[in-house]
């Protein structure tokens, strides 16, 4: 092969090698970008999170799976199982919050007829309770248990709620919540005995999802849909506190002073899971890097082989030139 053609081929191969190096640089840049993005979620910087933080973190995790098109079907079962747990936790938090927000929104439509306290966390001795919704109305003080279930529900005569595969004891929840709120009110107004008759706490179970139904066999506590809550709390024949606006505002103000920081929960995510997830998020890039590196190595090998051929050609060329000079000298 002519030395000029060999040199031309080398130039082309060197150009291809440079393109592969540029591709590798871009891949490395994207890997750093993805790692920085995952770190920016700050998933494990705290041991515990409140509901709002947890929802944000879980949403970030789910976004990673979608953003980087992770094929869950081809991943280990243990990783799939933990991811499903995260998805369930995320949906549960989201669904629960939506129910509480719907209840608060329904109450806001009543304007100043009632005062609503959402996610009111109170501590009394060893009793630490976070109330979904507390409503202070002229008729009385209400502890609202908000249930926002995707499936239809049945509440048994004993107060056991079953919805889909989930079941929970409403009696225990109601007892804890009403007792907690009652104790706080008794302590707040212990020097005002005339208020004692007005401080009874009434429990209500609120079914917040209008796309599912609940069959109620539980007669101890009212169960109502969100569009009926207003009518329930204004039943003067059942609830007879007769609170003035000033008394309502005073109760609200004093309860707010006792409100604790939102309860914190651990995420169902650990360091091992996050490291594994990061690897899966980088898998396509690492495959591209592997393929690109292999092509670059082939180009570099071919260039070295061409360099040898060119050197041999040059060596032969200069050898012939030397022979010609030798003959001329003779």
């Amino acid at each position: 092969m002519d030395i000029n053609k060999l040199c031309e081929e080398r130039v082309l191969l060197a150009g291809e090698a440079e393109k592969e190096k540029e591709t590798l640089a871009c891949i490395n840049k994207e890997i750093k970008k993805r790692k920085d993005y995952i770190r920016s979620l700050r998933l494990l910087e705290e041991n515990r999170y409140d509901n709002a933080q947890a929802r944000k973190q879980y949403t970030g995790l789910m976004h990673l799976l979608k953003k980087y098109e992770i094929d869950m079907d081809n991943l280990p079962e243990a990783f799939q199982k933990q991811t499903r747990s995260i998805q369930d936790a995320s949906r549960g938090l989201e669904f629960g919050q939506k129910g509480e927000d719907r209840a608060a929104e329904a109450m806001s439509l009543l304007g100043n007829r009632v005062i609503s306290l959402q996610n009111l966390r109170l501590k009394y001795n060893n009793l630490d309770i976070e109330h979904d919704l507390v409503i202070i109305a002229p008729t009385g003080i209400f502890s609202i248990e908000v249930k926002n279930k995707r499936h239809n529900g049945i509440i048994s005569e004993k107060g056991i709620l079953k919805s889909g595969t989930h079941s929970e004891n409403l009696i225990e929840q109601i007892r804890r919540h009403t007792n907690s709120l009652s104790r706080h009110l008794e302590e707040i107004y212990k020097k005002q005995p005339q208020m004692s008759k007005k401080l009874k706490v009434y429990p209500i179970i609120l079914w917040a999802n209008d796309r599912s139904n609940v069959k109620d066999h539980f007669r101890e506590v009212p169960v109502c849909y969100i569009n009926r809550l207003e009518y329930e709390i204004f039943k003067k024949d059942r609830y007879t506190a007769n609170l003035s606006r000033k008394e309502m505002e005073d109760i609200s103000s004093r309860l707010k002073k006792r409100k604790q920081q939102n309860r914190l929960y651990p995420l169902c995510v650990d360091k091992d899971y996050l490291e594994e997830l990061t690897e899966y998020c980088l898998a396509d890039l690492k495959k591209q890097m592997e393929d690109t590196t292999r092509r670059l190595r082939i180009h570099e090998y071919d260039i070295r082989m061409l360099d040898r051929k060119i050197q041999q050609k040059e060596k032969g060329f200069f050898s012939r030139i030397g022979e010609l000079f030798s003959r001329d000298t003779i």
Side-chain angles (χ1 to χ4, degrees):
M1 184 182 288
D2 184 79
I3 192 170
N4 290 329
K5 288 184 178 180
L6 288 173
C7 290
E8 289 174 4
E9 186 176 343
R10 191 195 186 286
V11 169
L12 291 174
L13 279 173
E16 292 297 320
E18 283 302 314
K19 288 180 182 178
E20 301 297 359
K21 288 178 181 178
E22 290 173 4
T23 301
L24 281 175
C26 290
I27 293 172
N28 278 313
K29 186 177 180 180
E30 181 61 23
I31 286 175
K32 183 179 182 304
K33 182 179 176 182
R34 290 191 187 183
K35 286 182 176 180
D36 288 345
Y37 175 73
I38 293 170
R39 278 194 292 269
S40 75
L41 297 175
R42 299 178 179 177
L43 291 165
L44 300 176
E45 287 192 6
E46 300 178 40
N47 292 325
R48 302 174 77 82
Y49 301 79
D50 66 21
N51 280 357
Q53 288 175 307
R55 289 200 312 277
K56 182 179 179 181
Q57 306 302 55
Y58 287 143
T59 300
L61 278 171
M62 296 303 103
H63 180 66
L64 283 177
L65 297 172
K66 184 177 180 181
K67 181 181 178 70
Y68 300 126
E69 299 178 349
I70 297 174
D71 184 6
M72 292 297 298
D73 294 335
N74 292 324
L75 298 184
E77 177 58 31
F79 184 84
Q80 292 187 42
K81 184 177 180 181
Q82 191 163 0
T83 302
R84 286 193 294 269
S85 295
I86 291 167
Q87 289 171 328
D88 290 343
S90 179
R91 283 194 290 261
L93 288 172
E94 187 73 25
F95 218 67
Q97 189 61 47
K98 282 182 179 179
E100 292 173 20
D101 290 344
R102 285 193 195 115
E105 183 180 353
M107 289 300 96
S108 69
L109 296 175
L110 298 178
N112 62 3
R113 295 175 65 194
V114 301
I115 297 175
S116 300
L117 303 175
Q118 191 175 5
N119 298 126
L120 179 66
R121 183 186 174 201
L122 299 172
K123 293 179 73 173
Y124 187 89
N125 294 334
N126 294 326
L127 199 59
D128 184 349
I129 300 295
E130 190 169 294
H131 300 265
D132 294 340
L133 183 65
V134 171
I135 296 174
I136 305 166
T139 48
I141 302 161
F142 300 87
S143 175
I144 311 297
E145 289 288 329
V146 181
K147 300 300 174 186
N148 192 32
K149 304 294 183 181
R150 284 172 286 178
H151 305 286
N152 292 337
I154 298 176
I155 303 177
S156 72
E157 293 178 357
K158 295 182 178 180
I160 305 299
L161 168 62
K162 292 185 178 180
S163 177
T165 60
H166 178 75
S167 66
E168 56 187 294
N169 189 331
L170 297 182
I171 284 286
E172 290 299 320
Q173 292 179 23
I174 290 165
R175 184 180 293 120
R176 288 197 304 270
H177 287 207
T178 53
N179 285 345
S180 166
L181 193 51
S182 294
R183 287 179 183 179
H184 279 278
L185 291 170
E186 286 172 7
E187 188 173 322
I188 287 170
Y189 289 99
K190 62 185 177 183
K191 293 183 179 180
Q192 296 173 254
Q194 72 278 10
M195 284 289 291
S196 60
K197 292 182 179 179
K198 297 188 174 188
L199 298 177
K200 183 178 179 182
V201 177
Y202 300 101
I204 293 177
I205 299 167
L206 179 64
W207 195 262
N209 186 6
D210 54 10
R211 295 184 180 180
S212 63
N213 299 312
V214 59
K215 290 184 179 179
D216 177 27
H217 303 290
F218 185 50
R219 302 305 176 194
E220 301 299 320
V221 176
V223 179
C224 63
Y225 291 96
I226 203 160
N227 60 353
R228 300 294 304 173
L229 181 58
E230 172 187 352
Y231 301 102
E232 179 62 37
I233 64 176
F234 283 113
K235 287 181 178 178
K236 293 184 179 180
D237 57 331
R238 179 178 290 183
Y239 312 115
T240 58
N242 195 27
L243 291 166
S244 68
R245 180 67 193 183
K246 184 177 179 180
E247 289 170 333
M248 289 166 57
E249 290 175 350
D250 186 63
I251 292 169
S252 172
S253 174
R254 296 193 188 205
L255 286 175
K256 283 180 180 178
K257 288 179 181 178
R258 292 187 167 218
K259 183 178 180 180
Q260 304 290 311
Q261 180 185 1
N262 288 344
R263 185 176 293 157
L264 302 179
Y265 304 89
L267 290 179
C268 53
V269 179
D270 57 28
K271 183 178 179 182
D272 291 340
Y273 176 85
L274 190 59
E275 287 177 355
E276 206 171 346
L277 176 65
T278 301
E279 285 303 306
Y280 295 140
C281 289
L282 301 177
D284 60 326
L285 291 176
K286 289 189 174 182
K287 180 65 168 63
Q288 292 176 36
M289 179 181 283
E290 185 181 314
D291 293 342
T292 304
T293 301
R294 185 171 59 251
R295 289 194 299 269
L296 177 60
R297 297 292 176 259
I298 291 171
H299 290 327
E300 289 175 340
Y301 175 81
D302 289 342
I303 289 171
R304 287 197 300 272
M305 293 301 101
L306 278 175
D307 285 340
R308 289 181 185 179
K309 289 181 180 179
I310 292 170
Q311 287 174 3
Q312 289 172 358
K313 290 282 184 181
E314 289 177 340
K315 187 177 180 181
F317 174 75
F318 286 118
S319 177
R320 287 194 296 272
I321 293 293
E323 290 176 1
L324 290 172
F325 276 114
S326 296
R327 288 175 188 173
D328 290 342
T329 303
I330 294 170

